[in-house]
Amino acid sequence: MLASATETATEASSESEYGTLLLTAVLLSLVVIYLARQIGGEISNRVGLPPVLGELVAGVLVGVSALHLLTFPEAGVEPSSSLIIRFLESTSGLTPDLAVAVFRDQNDVISVLAEIGVVILLFEIGLESNLKELLDVGIQATLVAIVGVVVPFAAGTAGLMTFFGISAIPAIFAGAALTATSIGITSKVLSELGRLNSKEGQIILGAAVIDDVLGIIVLAVVASLAKTGEIDVTNVVYLILSASGFLIGAVLLGKVFNQTFVSVVDLFKTRGGIVIPALIFAYAMAYLAAAIHLEAILGAFAAGLVLDETDKRKELQRQVIPIADILVPIFFVTVGAKTDLGVLNPANPTNREGLLIASFLIAIAIIGKVITGLAVFGQPGINRLAIGVGMIPRGEVGLVFAGVGSASGALSKPLEAAIIMMVILTTFLAPPLLRFVFPDSEPDVEAAKAVPELDRAANR
């Protein structure tokens, strides 16, 4: 009896020690993530680029490609390669046996936090996607958006399968990543150029909003395909119909739910009286999407669209911002940290195919969006090239595709790195190219003030 009690006490002590070491490892990982986010985002912002790019690049630097401060088992990294684990071994008495478990569980916690971060991000994007504006943009923006989704997706998928022999599921995922457009980055540059309220500017913004909606549907479909590991036409049709129906149902729900939500929120007098019910609704919608074999982020996006229709939208947006500022950077820095850019090193002959894939994706990413301007009709004298260029940047939306693809295991290291390089380059290229195709533009202060939400989204 005494021996049994002693063993139980020893096990409890060991579990407590392990819990302390795991917590320490997670906290150190968050320190690295937030430092990377702050430094990278600040530098990027000061040179006139979206901070999300700085977060991504900083993640690459602290991850498997460089400093090994933030590493993950799925990248093929051993615990001994993690500087955080080595630090704990030298300062906290972490044994090699425990190191394996701490390394695994620490990264599981960070990965879960990153997934929650992307759910919050899509909820926030939904809140910023004004349904009335979405319905009012007209046929021109709709055609531009459809061309901007169909052409890059078809060309990218077919090209990867034909020229590089990549199997269907990864090729479809990479093709889907090419469909994204970052409305925040484009709106920021257009407002600075004084072109936000021009015909070109309105078509670009309307098309980018529709493009986001179509992209989320495409992402839900391809992510579900990645889980099943096979392409079943019946399943694809089901996913497309269910994703479309889910969003349409959310829009219709918003017509009756928004007043109920406001009435319920007005009953609460404690702190968090609006944001907590909103998060309950967002998480419930995310669960519902996952339960019908769609991506949870589609449910979060739909929840944002529904609550965008309420009278409390602006107050809710203000309260969601600090939550997003805490959780969303974990997603972006983690995406960068998991990306091994070493597979694109030209000095290694085995990496040359990866470089060719990256070059191909970048070319399709640019050409596939530039030609969207040709879809505009009945607008004499309109700058079609500017419309196409405005659709080029992938930004945070492209990173969502890359992150979901990485988490699903559908992407090989070279293909994942190629997608990341495509996102970085298109986002870097878009601002100077927009300034080039809109010559002699003067900043429009009133236009810039008219879109504070889009401007803030560009600075995420």
Side-chain angles (χ1 to χ4, degrees):
M1 180 72 70
L2 181 60
S4 177
T6 303
E7 289 175 2
T8 302
T10 302
E11 289 176 2
S13 176
S14 298
E15 289 179 4
S16 175
E17 180 185 3
Y18 175 77
T20 301
L21 289 169
L22 176 58
L23 176 62
T24 304
V26 170
L27 291 175
L28 287 175
S29 297
L30 291 175
V31 168
V32 170
I33 288 170
Y34 288 130
L35 276 176
R37 181 263 177 194
Q38 199 65 31
I39 296 171
E42 193 67 27
I43 292 174
S44 186
N45 187 54
R46 295 197 178 200
V47 298
L49 292 169
V52 66
L53 273 185
E55 295 176 15
L56 175 66
V57 173
V60 172
L61 291 176
V62 301
V64 68
S65 294
L67 299 179
H68 282 245
L69 284 167
L70 191 66
T71 56
F72 295 85
E74 58 262 38
V77 177
E78 296 295 325
S80 58
S81 299
S82 168
L83 292 186
I84 288 178
I85 294 298
R86 286 162 60 183
F87 177 76
L88 289 177
E89 286 177 335
S90 61
T91 60
S92 302
L94 179 64
T95 63
D97 291 337
L98 275 180
V100 175
V102 169
F103 180 62
R104 180 194 64 234
D105 293 345
Q106 161 218 355
N107 288 300
D108 284 346
V109 172
I110 296 299
S111 294
V112 168
L113 290 175
E115 291 297 318
I116 296 175
V118 77
V119 166
I120 294 295
L121 173 63
L122 267 293
F123 177 57
E124 189 180 23
I125 290 174
L127 282 174
E128 293 169 354
S129 300
N130 191 295
L131 270 177
K132 291 184 176 66
E133 293 177 5
L134 184 62
L135 297 173
D136 291 342
V137 291
I139 190 67
Q140 302 283 2
T142 303
L143 286 175
V144 170
I146 291 173
V147 172
V149 169
V150 172
V151 173
F153 177 74
T157 303
L160 289 172
M161 294 177 67
T162 303
F163 302 126
F164 299 98
I166 293 176
S167 57
I169 297 295
I172 289 173
F173 227 118
L178 293 169
T179 66
T181 296
S182 173
I183 185 173
I185 293 166
T186 297
S187 65
K188 171 72 171 176
V189 179
L190 287 174
S191 67
E192 290 175 349
L193 294 175
R195 297 282 186 164
L196 194 63
N197 293 321
S198 66
K199 285 184 179 179
E200 294 89 349
Q202 290 301 298
I203 291 175
I204 290 170
L205 291 182
V209 172
I210 297 172
D211 198 63
D212 274 356
V213 175
L214 294 175
I216 295 302
I217 292 175
V218 171
L219 178 59
V221 172
V222 297
S224 297
L225 290 178
K227 289 176 183 176
T228 61
E230 58 184 8
I231 298 177
D232 182 336
V233 175
T234 304
N235 189 43
V236 171
V237 172
Y238 161 77
L239 290 171
I240 293 173
L241 291 177
S242 59
S244 303
F246 191 87
L247 285 175
I248 293 171
V251 172
L252 296 176
L253 174 65
K255 302 296 183 183
V256 295
F257 178 75
N258 49 22
Q259 293 303 320
T260 303
F261 177 80
V262 171
S263 299
V264 171
V265 164
D266 286 339
L267 297 175
F268 299 125
K269 304 302 177 185
T270 54
R271 194 170 74 173
I274 182 171
V275 72
I276 297 300
L279 289 178
I280 291 172
F281 179 62
Y283 292 153
M285 290 287 282
Y287 162 76
L288 181 60
I292 60 174
H293 306 294
L294 297 172
E295 281 298 295
I297 55 176
L298 181 67
F301 179 75
L305 286 179
V306 170
L307 297 184
D308 172 69
E309 293 293 287
T310 69
D311 297 333
K312 300 280 188 178
R313 175 174 62 89
K314 291 190 180 296
E315 182 183 350
L316 178 57
Q317 284 180 335
R318 285 194 297 270
Q319 294 195 31
V320 167
I321 289 172
I323 298 172
D325 287 342
I326 292 171
L327 291 171
V328 176
I330 301 176
F331 171 74
F332 287 130
V333 173
T334 299
V335 169
K338 289 181 177 179
T339 303
D340 184 4
L341 294 185
V343 299
L344 299 179
N345 180 6
N348 188 338
T350 61
N351 292 339
R352 287 170 189 165
E353 183 181 8
L355 283 170
L356 287 174
I357 293 174
S359 301
F360 171 77
L361 290 181
I362 290 166
I364 295 297
I366 295 172
I367 296 170
K369 293 293 186 180
V370 168
I371 67 172
T372 58
L374 300 177
V376 179
F377 65 92
Q379 301 285 338
I382 199 166
N383 192 336
R384 289 178 171 81
L385 179 60
I387 291 172
V389 169
M391 299 291 289
I392 286 176
R394 269 53 178 194
E396 69 284 350
V397 185
L399 292 181
V400 171
F401 278 82
V404 173
S406 174
S408 70
L411 302 177
S412 64
K413 284 186 180 181
L415 188 55
E416 181 183 350
I419 293 173
I420 294 293
M421 291 302 296
M422 178 272 294
V423 171
I424 292 174
L425 194 61
T426 56
T427 307
F428 269 96
L429 280 176
L433 284 178
L434 272 173
R435 289 178 172 89
F436 177 76
V437 298
F438 275 129
D440 304 322
S441 296
E442 294 295 332
D444 185 344
V445 176
E446 292 304 316
K449 289 180 179 178
V451 285
E453 295 167 8
L454 295 179
D455 190 44
R456 189 191 63 75
N459 284 316
R460 166 149 305 288

